[in-house]
Amino acid sequence: WPRPRTSSPAASGPGLASAARRAITLGSVDVWHDDEPFPRPAAGSAVTIGAYDGVHRGHQQVIGEVRRVAAERGLRSVVVTFDRHPASVVRPESAPKQLTDPDQELELLAATGVDATLVIHFDEARSKEPAEEFVREILVGALNAKTIVVGEDFHFGHQRRGNNALLAAMGAELGFAVDGMDLLQAGPEGAVSSTAIRNALVAGDLAAAHAMLGREHEVRGIVGHGDERARDLGFRTANVAIAEDVLLPKDGIYAGWYERPDGSVHPTAISLGRRPTFYEFADSPLLEAHLLDFQGDLYGERARVRFVERLRDELKFDSVDALVDQMGRDVARVRELLGA
């Protein structure tokens, strides 16, 4: 994607380009991309920057401060985020799996009540951009930033050399203030972070993950055809294909919710794993959702699956009858937990 630039960081006219179109609007929230025309806020903006993976409670706290400052000073509240996690470009071999897919992240950001989200295309060229250039081009030139709100550990730019001290020094020159916020604490475990949430999910600790997210962990995918073993066992399931870069919790059996494209939500028994009773080896986990008391065709639809509580580990059974008996108990437990 090309990266349009303003002719002058201090220009009072449009930012990256004139206001001809926007990517999408989610409710009353504008979503812009940096290769598209969008209006430079004439009165200025209060801005925060980050990957915002998961849009967790720590992120929500920062955005809340952005909105407060914007309302107090008559500014536009803006979140600057990226179209992929920067680590996927800078260190792809160790890049973390994501807590949200791109559409989910934009929806969650919109739900915070922020005025606009600017999505920056992150590629190798952007990864080598000095922090000072990013401030002049995007924050000042495009967004007319008057206040920048970030966490105390915030780093950005080439080799992560940009930080709060750099922002403060540049703010004194370019006319913006910097609000460095303490990180939200999750308790004795430490600060709320995307990394801490990933660790909790991988460990199967949904309670800790959900406390930090401020909601249930959700994944999305398309329902495809499987080997139909569950149907033969009397428990028809939807096989939901999840993007490889999205994080799934620890293999096991879960109670959860399945949301269809029409908005209907169904209590669901979720099997996440490699089906060891039938297969000796499986490279990746399969997410199977059994919608309680549902009859209908789900093939090809985009599903939203939310995890509520982990019931047990995935097990290898000595017989199909033993598996079916346990599946019946699992479904009964799901009914109890979800009031279904």
Side-chain angles (χ1 to χ4, degrees), residues 234-256:
F235 296 90
R236 186 177 182 183
T237 61
N239 296 326
V240 184
I242 308 300
E244 290 186 0
D245 62 348
V246 171
L247 184 70
L248 289 164
K250 183 179 180 180
D251 288 0
I253 309 302
Y254 293 83

Side-chain angles (χ1 to χ4, degrees), residues 35-314:
D35 69 331
E36 299 174 326
F38 65 83
R40 185 176 192 258
S45 60
V47 183
T48 185
I49 320 138
Y52 279 97
D53 181 31
V55 193
H56 54 63
R57 288 178 56 233
H59 295 149
Q60 294 163 32
Q61 178 177 263
V62 171
I63 295 171
E65 175 67 5
V66 169
R67 293 183 63 217
R68 185 195 67 77
V69 171
E72 186 177 89
R73 299 187 57 190
L75 306 174
R76 189 97 158 126
S77 59
V78 181
V79 171
V80 177
T81 189
F82 304 97
D83 65 350
R84 66 206 68 195
H85 197 291
S88 68
V89 175
V90 177
R91 46 181 180 86
E93 70 288 345
S94 60
K97 292 201 172 188
Q98 301 303 285
L99 298 171
T100 50
D101 67 28
D103 288 344
Q104 218 175 334
E105 181 180 329
L106 291 178
E107 290 173 18
L108 289 167
L109 288 172
T112 67
V114 70
D115 291 326
T117 298
L118 172 60
V119 182
I120 301 294
H121 175 59
F122 198 90
D123 56 13
E124 186 175 359
R126 181 68 77 181
S127 74
K128 295 178 179 178
E129 179 182 49
E132 295 87 348
E133 184 177 338
F134 184 84
V135 172
R136 293 179 183 276
E137 176 197 349
I138 299 296
L139 303 183
V140 176
L143 295 177
N144 192 17
K146 300 302 181 185
T147 298
I148 297 173
V149 182
V150 289
E152 63 181 5
D153 65 340
F154 177 68
H155 290 81
F156 70 108
H158 183 52
Q159 296 182 341
R160 293 168 54 84
R161 289 178 177 170
N163 54 26
N164 283 1
L166 175 78
L167 285 174
M170 294 191 73
E173 172 194 350
L174 298 173
F176 61 82
V178 179
D179 184 352
M181 296 184 64
D182 292 339
L183 299 182
L184 180 66
Q185 298 299 308
E189 315 77 68
V192 173
S193 70
S194 299
T195 298
I197 295 167
R198 291 188 194 99
N199 291 341
L201 289 171
V202 169
D205 188 351
L206 286 188
H210 293 169
M212 289 185 280
L213 283 168
R215 65 181 186 279
E216 294 158 350
H217 181 54
E218 177 183 304
V219 296
R220 302 178 180 184
I222 304 298
V223 177
H225 290 270
D227 56 18
E228 300 188 352
R229 285 188 182 275
R231 177 185 299 182
D232 294 339
L233 299 176
F235 296 90
R236 186 177 182 183
T237 61
N239 296 326
V240 184
I242 308 300
E244 290 186 0
D245 62 348
V246 171
L247 184 70
L248 289 164
K250 183 179 180 180
D251 288 0
I253 309 302
Y254 293 83
W257 301 100
Y258 179 108
E259 182 174 344
R260 301 189 67 195
D262 64 6
S264 62
V265 179
H266 302 266
T268 301
I270 304 166
S271 172
L272 177 62
R274 297 149 211 278
R275 299 181 291 175
T277 301
F278 300 105
Y279 301 99
E280 192 68 30
F281 301 104
D283 293 333
S284 57
L286 175 67
L287 193 161
E288 297 178 279
H290 171 65
L291 284 61
L292 275 58
D293 306 320
F294 177 82
Q295 299 294 326
D297 185 1
L298 302 173
Y299 292 121
E301 74 177 29
R302 184 163 176 78
R304 302 183 179 199
V305 179
R306 293 191 283 276
F307 296 84
V308 174
E309 186 166 325
R310 191 170 191 273
L311 306 186
R312 62 175 177 85
D313 288 338
E314 187 180 41

